[in-house]
Amino acid sequence: MPSSPPRARFRPRRHAQSSHPREREARARAGRGCDSAGHRGRPCPVPVASPILSAGCRPCLGDRVSHDVTWSGIRQTSTHTAQRSFLIRRPSGTVPGTVWTPVRRPGPVPTVLLGHGGSGHRHSDRIVSMAAQFTSAGYAAAAIDGPYHGERLRSPLTPAEYQAQIAAEGIGQVLDRIADDWVTTSNLLAEADVADGTRLAYFGLSMGTRFGLATAVALGPALRCAVFGKFGLRSAAALNPALHAPDRALRDASRITAPVLFHLQWEDDLFPRAGQLDLFDAFAGAEKELHAFTGRHGHTPRHAPGLWQSFITRHLAPPRRGQSTSL
């Protein structure tokens, strides 16, 4: 993957005046008051026509959403995608996130949770590209920065540095924390009428799988499918040994019953093939697919993202009368 261009740091703002067409139209019709308690009888600073916060403005939305969260303004990134960032404050620290929603399909909609890889962030090229593909199909997508990554930090860490930070906190503690962060994020989006909280998918390779196994367990029956890969029960000497937790990975995998697609690089130089196959065997669901490709850990065939996306949309698509759930 090409390296991401430099990006501006997200600075949360309350009541940002979005340039999204539906919000401009709503402001043009201003004069009617917001129905929520926060602005009852007064005009709403952020109109209720927002495609991302359709249930009310912020802080009006706080009447229903029990999270300490700040939202940025909505930005329409294409004809079919609206983007909004948020910052959740939790006792364990802040959780920076972004949600992408389909412009022409009101929520709540099935949602894909996108986990980035090591040294990445929630706006990595692959994450943004996949979010655009899912919104064009009528689904929402969300991503958060992983522990010791992205805007959780003042400046990026090297692989050795962030691995040392995870080791110092304890790998088990970090896995529990990121799982809780994802559950909090999905609950927030469901309460905001963005996500259908009963139809979620998870995608994450490498570190995205390391963190995603615990996340998938925490999501429970709301998880309809997951794409994992480039991770296993054995690891190369180049990785900090304190991150190696095969018993936890096995235990989590054995509790995941949702359909799984597993992406394997045959000559993976960070997570040996045998350990990845052992992990694949541990998934407890009746439906799982193994897709193996030649190449090392850093290689991803160009057509692989299409396979991931087809798998996810097939399982998120609602049943049609007289038809199967396949697209």
Side-chain angles (χ1 to χ4, degrees):
M1 297 290 296
S3 60
S4 301
R7 57 193 176 90
R9 287 186 60 81
F10 162 53
R11 301 185 186 280
R13 295 178 298 152
R14 289 190 182 274
H15 297 320
Q17 293 293 302
S18 169
S19 61
H20 190 278
R22 276 156 70 174
E23 294 214 358
R24 290 201 305 268
E25 178 184 356
R27 280 198 294 272
R29 299 196 311 268
R32 115 174 177 232
C34 181
D35 291 334
S36 61
H39 291 131
R40 197 175 302 276
R42 294 180 286 117
C44 183
V46 179
V48 296
S50 163
I52 294 182
L53 292 181
S54 59
C57 77
R58 182 68 187 168
C60 301
L61 192 62
D63 299 338
R64 294 198 310 117
V65 176
S66 57
H67 304 289
D68 183 2
V69 59
T70 300
W71 295 87
S72 73
I74 298 171
R75 184 166 65 94
Q76 187 165 341
T77 57
S78 71
T79 57
H80 53 74
T81 305
Q83 173 183 310
R84 192 167 202 181
S85 292
F86 54 87
L87 188 71
I88 306 172
R89 297 172 188 83
R90 306 194 63 223
S92 58
T94 58
V95 182
T98 299
V99 59
W100 295 265
T101 55
V103 170
R104 293 181 176 86
R105 184 179 178 185
V109 296
T111 299
V112 186
L113 309 179
L114 301 171
H116 64 77
S119 298
H121 49 76
R122 72 184 193 278
H123 292 153
S124 296
D125 288 346
R126 176 175 291 161
I127 299 295
V128 173
S129 174
M130 292 185 67
Q133 292 297 319
F134 286 121
T135 55
S136 67
Y139 302 115
I144 61 175
D145 287 327
Y148 306 107
H149 284 75
E151 290 177 357
R152 298 198 194 219
L153 303 168
R154 293 181 178 273
S155 59
L157 300 179
T158 66
E161 289 171 336
Y162 79 71
Q163 289 173 29
Q165 292 286 341
I166 293 173
E169 181 177 347
I171 183 61
Q173 175 95 5
V174 173
L175 294 176
D176 292 340
R177 178 158 66 93
I178 186 64
D180 286 344
D181 289 347
W182 269 122
V183 169
T184 299
T185 297
S186 62
N187 289 342
L188 168 70
L189 297 177
E191 291 172 4
D193 288 336
V194 173
D196 177 349
T198 68
R199 303 191 70 83
L200 303 175
Y202 179 86
F203 166 85
L205 303 181
S206 193
M207 190 186 80
T209 293
R210 184 192 296 278
F211 292 162
L213 297 174
T215 297
V217 172
L219 291 172
L223 183 73
R224 298 306 181 98
C225 66
V227 174
F228 297 125
K230 296 191 178 187
F231 180 78
L233 303 182
R234 308 176 193 179
S235 58
L239 299 177
N240 190 316
L243 274 61
H244 190 53
D247 292 342
R248 173 64 184 267
L250 271 177
R251 183 169 72 250
D252 287 341
S254 69
R255 298 173 62 189
I256 297 172
T257 58
V260 167
L261 182 152
F262 195 89
H263 178 114
L264 168 66
Q265 291 299 132
W266 204 250
E267 290 84 27
D268 196 308
D269 47 317
L270 292 184
F271 298 98
R273 183 193 318 154
Q276 297 197 48
L277 293 173
D278 289 341
L279 178 61
F280 178 77
D281 284 341
F283 290 114
E287 182 182 346
K288 51 187 181 181
E289 302 179 8
L290 177 66
H291 293 249
F293 306 90
T294 58
R296 293 159 67 91
H297 184 84
H299 177 68
T300 301
R302 286 189 176 184
H303 66 285
L307 297 175
W308 311 331
Q309 292 156 13
S310 295
F311 178 84
I312 290 173
T313 55
R314 185 168 75 248
H315 289 92
L316 284 185
R320 296 180 181 179
R321 187 176 300 175
Q323 297 182 0
S324 71
T325 57
S326 299
L327 291 178

